[in-house]
Amino acid sequence: MRKTARYSALAAAGLLALSSLTACANDAASTAGSGSDGGGGKGEHVKIMVGGLDKVIYLPAMLTQRLGYFNDQGLDVELLSEPAGVQAETALVSGQVQGAVGFYDHTLDLQTKGKSVESVVQFSHAPGEVELVSAQRAGDITSPKDFKGKKLGITGLGSSTDFLTKYLAVKNGVRVSDFSPVAVGAGPTFISALQKGAIDGGMTTDPTVATVLKKGLGKVLIDMRTPKGSAEAFGGPYPSSSLYMQTDWVNGHKETVQKLANAFVKTLAWMATHSASEIAAKMPADYSQGDKALYATAIESTLPMFTKDGVMPEGGPETVEKVLKAFNPNIKNAKVDLGRTFTTEFVKKAAG
């Protein structure tokens, strides 16, 4: 009886903690949807889940709101945040949100599971990711060939960082079963895991990368923030961050999707003509974590990954399919219709 009572108390405490976390997340989402710089309009309400609002690779989501471009289109966009792209994907397919900002590769993975999802605005033509190695293990890990037996940080199991880490391993002769992927999120949780030796290295994005390098906690092993880095790692452009939505919803709400595309394409064009410092100045103050110069540096390092028009880069879907087929048995043995994983209909109209 004592054990039962204790477990019940623990369960109740867990539920209370979960409720508190949910409330915090909802508060954060409400703030993102009603900011003074362009949020909280009276227009059509659209919810978008982002796989980490403060990640530079997903910067166009918040920047579009801060510039007021959603409001200009008559949209009231509520931006919500999850720490990993795979969680944004889950929110989308379960119908909790109308759109997700995450990696394009999820559209291929979902198609093999019977879900029709497509990228409607392609933010990038490179992953924007960096494979870091801890300062203590820098001598032991000099290439992905050394992944065997190592603990490698990823944002979450089934996330794009998980996918890309597995590809780099397999490409370099290391089996997926030969190393341990560890879900450590990004930002402070990734940095803490690196400091404590819970991981030997890992894949993450800016501003986490900039912070790790500044503190001397790790070194860059593979830089995938530029088209050149993408080509070296994957053999071609690797379209990553995007706005993707369920195809049925897109077909049933074309006017709304067009407005979203108009806003995002305008943001991408704005980014292409402004400096990293100017972009950083538009973002929420807490995104810089007290170091504005470092945050601007993080943005500058990642800017090359972004497209200027939201159009899927030529050959990009084929590169993603090749990468996923290298280690993912679901996709390796499936026929993927790449034409159903993205559309350029809306971004081309936006540009025109």
Side-chain angles (χ1 to χ4, degrees):
M1 289 297 292
R2 288 180 192 164
K3 280 188 177 180
T4 302
R6 183 175 172 225
Y7 293 153
S8 297
L10 286 172
L15 286 171
L16 181 61
L18 181 59
S19 299
S20 299
L21 285 171
T22 303
C24 290
N26 289 339
D27 288 343
S30 298
T31 302
S34 56
S36 59
D37 293 325
K42 296 288 186 179
E44 182 179 1
H45 189 65
V46 179
K47 289 195 285 187
I48 297 176
M49 184 65 78
V50 184
L53 261 174
D54 58 352
K55 294 177 183 177
V56 177
I57 58 171
Y58 300 141
L59 180 148
M62 179 56 77
L63 181 58
T64 301
Q65 190 173 83
R66 303 285 287 188
L67 291 171
Y69 293 163
F70 290 136
N71 275 357
D72 291 348
Q73 293 294 320
L75 297 173
D76 176 20
V77 173
E78 182 180 1
L79 298 174
L80 299 100
S81 185
E82 287 282 8
V86 67
Q87 292 161 323
E89 170 198 299
T90 300
L92 178 70
V93 297
S94 65
Q96 296 175 48
V97 296
Q98 289 76 52
V101 169
F103 269 40
Y104 160 72
D105 54 22
H106 290 294
T107 67
L108 280 73
D109 187 49
L110 285 169
Q111 190 182 114
T112 67
K113 299 171 182 174
K115 305 289 185 181
S116 185
V117 174
E118 61 188 16
S119 165
V120 295
V121 183
Q122 194 58 50
F123 296 160
S124 63
H125 45 195
E129 302 281 353
V130 174
E131 183 69 31
L132 294 170
V133 57
S134 74
Q136 291 83 1
R137 303 309 300 269
D140 303 329
I141 307 174
T142 58
S143 84
K145 293 179 181 178
D146 302 320
F147 282 177
K148 188 173 182 179
K150 304 302 189 294
K151 296 172 293 185
L152 302 175
I154 56 173
T155 52
L157 296 175
S159 67
S160 295
T161 51
D162 188 16
F163 292 164
L164 296 181
T165 301
K166 286 175 177 174
Y167 174 74
L168 292 175
V170 171
K171 180 187 176 186
N172 287 274
V174 178
R175 294 176 300 180
V176 171
S177 59
D178 286 341
F179 68 93
S180 301
V182 184
V184 293
T189 54
F190 181 97
I191 293 169
S192 176
L194 203 63
Q195 282 179 309
K196 295 176 179 177
I199 56 175
D200 301 307
M203 191 173 292
T204 191
T205 60
D206 277 309
T208 307
V209 174
T211 303
V212 168
L213 296 180
K214 182 179 180 180
K215 292 184 175 182
L217 300 175
K219 297 182 178 180
V220 173
L221 187 67
I222 302 173
D223 193 337
M224 298 162 280
R225 290 175 291 188
T226 66
K228 181 176 181 290
S230 176
E232 289 174 354
F234 309 112
Y238 195 96
S240 57
S241 56
S242 65
L243 170 68
Y244 63 87
M245 314 178 88
Q246 296 201 63
T247 301
D248 285 345
W249 199 91
V250 171
N251 292 337
H253 301 80
K254 288 201 169 189
E255 185 177 345
T256 302
V257 177
Q258 187 61 63
K259 290 177 180 179
L260 287 167
N262 292 345
F264 279 125
V265 169
K266 191 173 181 181
T267 295
L268 291 168
W270 188 92
M271 289 170 62
T273 56
H274 289 76
S275 69
S277 295
E278 290 171 323
I279 295 170
K282 288 290 183 182
M283 301 301 286
D286 60 335
Y287 281 23
S288 67
Q289 297 179 16
D291 194 331
K292 293 181 180 179
L294 185 67
Y295 184 55
T297 298
I299 292 175
E300 186 172 13
S301 298
T302 307
L303 273 179
M305 73 174 278
F306 294 107
T307 66
K308 297 178 181 179
D309 53 13
V311 175
M312 176 66 71
E314 188 174 348
E318 289 79 9
T319 303
V320 173
E321 182 182 30
K322 179 193 73 174
V323 168
L324 296 183
K325 279 184 177 293
F327 66 87
N328 189 323
N330 293 333
I331 293 181
K332 186 175 184 177
N333 302 317
K335 173 67 175 175
V336 179
D337 184 350
L338 293 177
R340 290 172 47 218
T341 62
F342 71 97
T343 176
T344 59
E345 172 186 351
F346 302 98
V347 290
K348 287 188 174 178
K349 283 184 182 177

